[in-house]
Amino acid sequence: MSVSTDLVPPPTARTTPAAGVVPLRRPGRWISAVVVLVMLAAAVRSVITNEAFQWSVVAEYFTAEVVLRGLGLTLWLTVLTLVLGFALGTVLAVLRLSGNPVLVGVAWGYVWIFRSVPMLVQLLFWFNIGALYPTLSFGIPFGPDFVSISSTNLIGPLAAVIIGLTLHEAAYAAEIVRGGVISVEQGQVEAALALGMGRGRILRRIVLPQAMRSIIPAAGNALIGTLKGTSIVSVLAVQDLLFSVQLIYNRNYLIIPLLLVATVWYVVVTSVLSVAQYYVERYYARGAARALPPTPWQRLKGRLR
Amino acid sequence: MSAATVVRISDLHKSYGTTPVLRGVDLEVRQGEVTCVIGPSGSGKSTLLRCVNHLEKINAGEVEVDGELIGYRRHKGRLHELKDRLITKQRASIGMVFQNFNLFPHLTVLENVVEAPIGVRGLSRAAAVALGKELIARVGLAGREESYPRQLSGGQQQRIAIARALAMEPKLMLFDEPTSALDPELVGEVLAVIADLAEAGMTMVVVTHEMAFARQVADTVVFLDEGRVVESGPPAELLSAPRHARTREFLARVL
């Protein structure tokens, strides 16, 4: 830098904040931190040292093959339900917003019915569909049938579970997607219309990407809800994570440690999903703020430097 | 000098519910002409503009752009509403710039500009990007292609919105109060871009409150009040020697 002849030093010369500014001291934060740490330590100690938790049993069964297979089924059901549910839910949301009074009515009726019937009741209905409709036929309405199949053969416990969870999820997903879509400012649609874009393209390229910002947090909630909600399938003897540990403790009566095995797995998967949600939200935040917020990892590195 | 008529509006009526907004508007805009629409708020200026590209449905009358009826077809003496797909096609050749810019916040500046040329006009990505970069440079923002709209000032955003509309190579540009949402010191840069377009021979309808701009750039100024055209004429006449009392009253308030 050349020697400045100006009387006033350039403002960039000052790299530290002006002397004399003392940030407000916050002793309350330190006190509360100590209190919380002490309480946490006490809680952890009691959980570890309490023999009744039987951590050795938990460790023994944590990666047992039956448990892992149950976990696999739980994850598979969660993903399948989420994907199918949100696909159907998006269609329902589009129908609801279509302006066609018949389609609006259909979508509204669907959401009304499937949000009204409890999940468990719905699963039992699907499982017992054979009692309501012994055969499923393909043919002309009010006319002859071409193919007839016994519905008990077609819909076993797993199919009942998949259908029930998906239809239930779709009703909630429809509202989540609809909420996201109507949160996008109307001017966005008008600008796209003025550019000669068609309705479908506007939805895909302009509205949905912006709607994702409010869809993701609610969808993350729904996903985690679904993950744990799948445990309901144990009542139909579908071997998910919960049913697998139930099978084991029905044999050896080690109920608490085996429930802990399932609990810890649910917590682990939920934690992974929460982190994933953070990064997905960050992705869809691009353009919404002037600069993206730093990731926790970047923040940590910044503090340590 | 008699250039072809680009916009022809006759006896246009439009109401929102039971509130009439336009009550029989007639307007003609010829090729290469700049028409500035002025008038008090609530006079129907924006609605008039939005009827030209059928963002609003009309109740009666006709709107023609380049000899083509907009939003409707005539059949046995009656107007029938067109299908969405045909209206979409008509809009593609009419550019529009909004008061609040309405850039797509999730897309970069360049993506904003190339979205419709690729998706609607069917340009290849390479051709659209080349066109987009040229237009971004034309509005004086070369180098900001990868920015997001929120990282730009209002004036810069509005200039990108103009580039985005131009990328469709429209035969007509509509401006709906393009500088009303801007800080005073940013108004000039946007008006300069619009004046450049006028110089280049673009046919434009500009709803504006900037009287100095209207005086300088417009071929015709139209004064709209309570949904009717009170008077229209060259800016030197209408702005300096208005014939109607209501025009005089309005100008006395804004000048």
Side-chain angles (χ1 to χ4, degrees):
Chain A
M1 216 171 133
S2 62
V3 179
S4 170
T5 51
D6 288 345
L7 291 174
V8 185
T12 49
R14 203 186 275 150
T15 53
T16 49
V21 177
V22 180
L24 180 63
R25 303 221 183 269
R26 301 184 183 277
R29 288 189 185 176
W30 290 102
I31 295 168
S32 57
V34 170
V35 170
V36 167
L37 281 177
V38 168
M39 284 165 66
L40 192 65
V44 169
R45 182 176 164 277
S46 95
V47 169
I48 292 177
T49 53
N50 187 340
E51 291 294 321
F53 281 107
Q54 293 176 279
W55 288 105
S56 57
V57 180
V58 173
E60 186 190 335
Y61 284 101
F62 193 65
T63 52
E65 207 203 324
V66 189
V67 172
L68 289 184
R69 247 188 288 131
L71 175 67
L73 185 72
T74 290
L75 291 178
W76 182 76
L77 270 180
T78 305
V79 171
L80 192 70
T81 306
L82 188 86
V83 171
L84 293 178
F86 265 81
L88 181 57
T90 306
V91 172
L92 286 166
V94 170
L95 296 186
R96 182 80 191 274
L97 295 163
S98 68
N100 176 333
V102 177
L103 299 183
V104 171
V106 168
W108 184 88
Y110 179 95
V111 171
W112 170 66
I113 265 292
F114 283 92
R115 280 203 308 195
S116 309
V117 182
M119 186 68 244
L120 181 58
V121 177
Q122 224 192 101
L123 284 186
L124 294 173
F125 264 122
W126 283 108
F127 188 59
N128 295 306
I129 191 80
L132 289 170
Y133 296 99
T135 57
L136 290 179
S137 308
F138 178 74
I140 300 164
F142 308 109
D145 294 335
F146 302 135
V147 194
S148 268
I149 317 163
S150 152
S151 45
T152 13
N153 290 344
L154 198 64
I155 300 180
L158 194 59
V161 156
I162 292 169
I163 294 172
L165 287 175
T166 299
L167 296 183
H168 183 79
E169 181 89 354
Y172 286 90
E175 288 298 280
I176 291 173
V177 172
R178 189 173 71 90
V181 167
I182 57 182
S183 76
V184 176
E185 200 204 334
Q186 183 58 23
Q188 292 290 307
V189 176
E190 287 188 350
L193 283 173
L195 285 167
M197 293 169 72
R199 292 272 168 198
R201 193 173 177 85
I202 293 174
L203 187 72
R204 267 184 299 115
R205 300 282 304 170
I206 306 301
V207 173
L208 279 183
Q210 294 185 58
M212 289 309 266
R213 271 190 41 83
S214 48
I215 289 177
I216 294 295
N221 237 354
L223 171 59
I224 287 166
T226 308
L227 170 74
K228 292 176 296 174
T230 55
S231 61
I232 209 170
V233 306
S234 56
V235 299
L236 298 189
V238 171
Q239 269 201 51
D240 75 322
L241 181 55
L242 180 60
F243 194 72
S244 304
V245 300
Q246 285 174 336
L247 281 182
I248 302 172
Y249 71 58
N250 282 341
R251 263 187 287 112
N252 61 15
Y253 302 106
L254 298 167
I255 298 176
I256 297 292
L258 278 157
L259 282 179
L260 275 173
V261 167
T263 307
V264 172
W265 271 121
Y266 281 121
V267 170
V268 166
V269 177
T270 304
S271 311
V272 171
L273 292 177
S274 303
V275 171
Q277 180 186 341
Y278 177 86
Y279 281 93
V280 175
E281 273 180 34
R282 198 168 173 277
Y283 172 80
Y284 281 106
R286 73 201 193 288
R290 293 205 169 181
L292 283 180
T295 61
W297 178 238
Q298 288 167 342
R299 225 176 293 157
L300 190 67
K301 276 203 298 191
R303 289 249 171 118
L304 294 179
R305 204 171 284 141
Chain B
M1 197 180 89
S2 67
T5 302
V6 176
V7 182
R8 200 179 59 75
I9 297 172
S10 52
D11 198 29
L12 174 59
H13 288 259
K14 162 79 191 170
S15 42
Y16 293 116
T18 54
T19 318
V21 182
L22 299 175
R23 337 179 189 203
V25 172
D26 296 287
L27 184 70
E28 263 192 37
V29 180
R30 277 190 288 276
Q31 179 92 53
E33 258 190 11
V34 179
T35 300
C36 282
V37 181
I38 61 170
S41 64
S43 59
K45 308 183 295 287
S46 291
T47 305
L48 173 64
L49 210 59
R50 292 161 61 84
C51 287
V52 176
N53 66 356
H54 203 69
L55 281 182
E56 301 286 351
K57 290 177 183 178
I58 67 177
N59 296 113
E62 284 179 4
V63 177
E64 273 181 18
V65 173
D66 241 9
E68 194 181 350
L69 211 51
I70 296 296
Y72 302 88
R73 71 193 162 81
R74 203 179 284 107
H75 184 68
K76 291 181 180 166
R78 296 184 62 178
L79 292 185
H80 297 259
E81 215 176 340
L82 288 179
K83 285 190 176 156
D84 275 357
R85 200 160 37 82
L86 293 172
I87 297 172
T88 295
K89 214 170 184 179
Q90 292 180 330
R91 284 195 190 113
S93 59
I94 304 172
M96 186 160 192
V97 174
F98 298 84
Q99 184 176 346
N100 294 317
F101 331 133
N102 291 345
L103 289 179
F104 306 131
H106 61 301
L107 301 178
T108 64
V109 162
L110 185 63
E111 286 166 342
N112 261 278
V113 177
V114 301
E115 174 65 35
I118 294 172
V120 179
R121 284 177 64 201
L123 290 191
S124 71
R125 187 156 183 98
V129 165
L131 173 68
K133 284 188 169 166
E134 184 193 317
L135 288 168
I136 292 167
R138 185 168 165 191
V139 298
L141 287 169
R144 302 307 300 266
E145 286 84 358
E146 300 310 316
S147 302
Y148 283 95
R150 296 237 164 90
Q151 296 167 329
L152 304 179
S153 73
Q156 292 171 330
Q157 288 189 48
Q158 192 61 301
R159 279 144 68 194
I160 293 303
I162 295 173
R164 178 176 70 175
L166 290 176
M168 293 301 287
E169 304 195 329
K171 52 192 175 198
L172 168 69
M173 284 284 283
L174 308 172
F175 292 85
D176 187 6
E177 305 198 21
T179 58
S180 295
L182 296 177
D183 289 338
E185 82 268 23
L186 301 178
V187 168
E189 62 188 64
V190 172
L191 293 182
V193 170
I194 302 174
D196 276 350
L197 281 178
E199 193 85 352
M202 175 63 78
T203 312
M204 300 193 279
V205 182
V206 186
V207 169
T208 186
H209 292 293
E210 300 289 332
M211 296 304 152
F213 170 80
R215 190 187 296 273
Q216 194 193 330
V217 176
D219 296 292
T220 309
V221 177
V222 174
F223 175 61
L224 206 66
D225 191 23
E226 293 183 347
R228 287 195 190 88
V229 174
V230 176
E231 66 178 299
S232 67
E237 276 174 33
L238 190 134
L239 296 177
S240 308
R243 277 169 291 149
H244 287 262
R246 263 192 300 176
T247 319
R248 274 198 292 277
E249 211 178 290
F250 173 72
L251 290 175
R253 268 185 284 128
V254 298
L255 282 180

